[in-house]
Amino acid sequence: MIDLFISAFVTLFVVIDPPGCAPIYASLTADASAAQRRSMAVRAIVIAGAILVFFAMFGEALLSFLHIDLDSFRVAGGIMLFIIAIDMVFEKRTERREQRAERVIATPEIEDVSVFPMAMPMLAGPGSIASVMLLVAQNNGVERALVIFAALLLVLALTLAALLAAGPMMRLIGAKGEAVITRLLGVLLAALAAQFVIDGLKASFPTLG
């Protein structure tokens, strides 16, 4: 159970990427008061958590309804996460997030950023949805699911802390520090994504094992 918790925590932490979300949130809420920033941060975490829990609980049933084999989803999810990892290593993901943030800032009528773009797609995006679905689908049983949800809760709590401390934290680590952290997380995510693909292929083609 400890190994499962650590594996789920690392996977979700890397995909959700609290250190990468913090500077974007800081720029989106630059003109907001401290109370507004706290309110939007909490709302974004709650909404993203609800979305991820929904897909964790009902994602496999959705795949079954669509006649999609779980092993095929493992391979597809692994490839998707690998692409995200490449973007993180070469900073493409950060660039896209910043561009999205700039578009939101340039639209005066959008004041509350908790739902878009923070909850979706920054926190509960394709990568995190695929990850939580894969983790729950690979680990049958209520106890294992609860362990994964505990890991998700811890990641979301750390993300909330990162959002609330976004301004001071960014001044502390700086742009270069953030770039180093993002690249390291990208390399780790690439390895996890490769493992998803390998597991899916082994299950689909037992002779490969």
Side-chain angles (χ1 to χ4, degrees):
M1 289 296 181
I2 294 176
D3 289 341
L4 174 60
F5 179 85
I6 294 173
S7 174
F9 173 78
V10 171
T11 301
L12 294 170
F13 185 88
V14 169
V15 175
I16 294 175
D17 188 19
C21 291
I24 303 301
Y25 183 73
S27 66
L28 287 172
T29 58
D31 297 328
S33 66
Q36 288 174 324
R37 286 196 297 270
R38 285 195 298 271
S39 176
M40 286 189 285
V42 171
R43 201 156 44 243
I45 293 297
V46 170
I47 294 171
I51 293 170
L52 293 174
V53 169
F54 173 82
F55 278 99
M57 294 177 65
F58 304 109
E60 192 171 0
L62 178 62
L63 290 180
S64 178
F65 176 76
L66 296 174
H67 304 290
I68 298 173
D69 187 72
L70 179 58
D71 295 322
S72 300
F73 187 76
R74 284 188 184 124
V75 174
I79 293 171
M80 183 187 304
L81 293 179
F82 191 79
I83 292 172
I84 293 174
I86 292 175
D87 284 350
M88 290 174 70
V89 172
F90 293 100
E91 292 193 315
K92 296 297 181 183
R93 190 186 190 197
T94 303
E95 288 178 14
R96 280 200 295 271
R97 277 178 167 170
E98 290 173 349
Q99 290 169 1
R100 193 181 297 126
E102 288 171 2
R103 286 198 296 270
V104 174
I105 292 172
T107 309
E109 64 268 18
I110 299 178
E111 297 179 356
D112 189 347
V113 299
S114 59
V115 179
F116 174 84
M118 289 309 303
M120 281 192 75
M122 287 189 179
L123 300 178
S128 52
I129 289 173
S131 296
V132 75
M133 285 177 63
L134 284 169
L135 287 167
V136 172
Q138 286 179 321
N139 296 278
N140 296 322
V142 176
E143 289 185 358
R144 288 180 169 271
L146 290 176
V147 170
I148 294 169
F149 287 142
L152 173 62
L153 181 62
L154 179 56
V155 171
L156 290 176
L158 291 174
T159 305
L160 176 60
L163 296 184
L164 293 176
M169 186 173 70
M170 290 316 300
R171 285 193 295 271
L172 180 65
I173 65 174
K176 290 184 178 179
E178 182 205 347
V180 171
I181 292 172
T182 299
R183 283 188 166 93
L184 289 175
L185 291 176
V187 172
L188 186 58
L189 180 59
L192 291 169
Q195 190 61 53
F196 277 140
V197 174
I198 291 170
D199 291 344
L201 291 175
K202 280 184 176 179
S204 298
F205 306 98
T207 53
L208 293 176

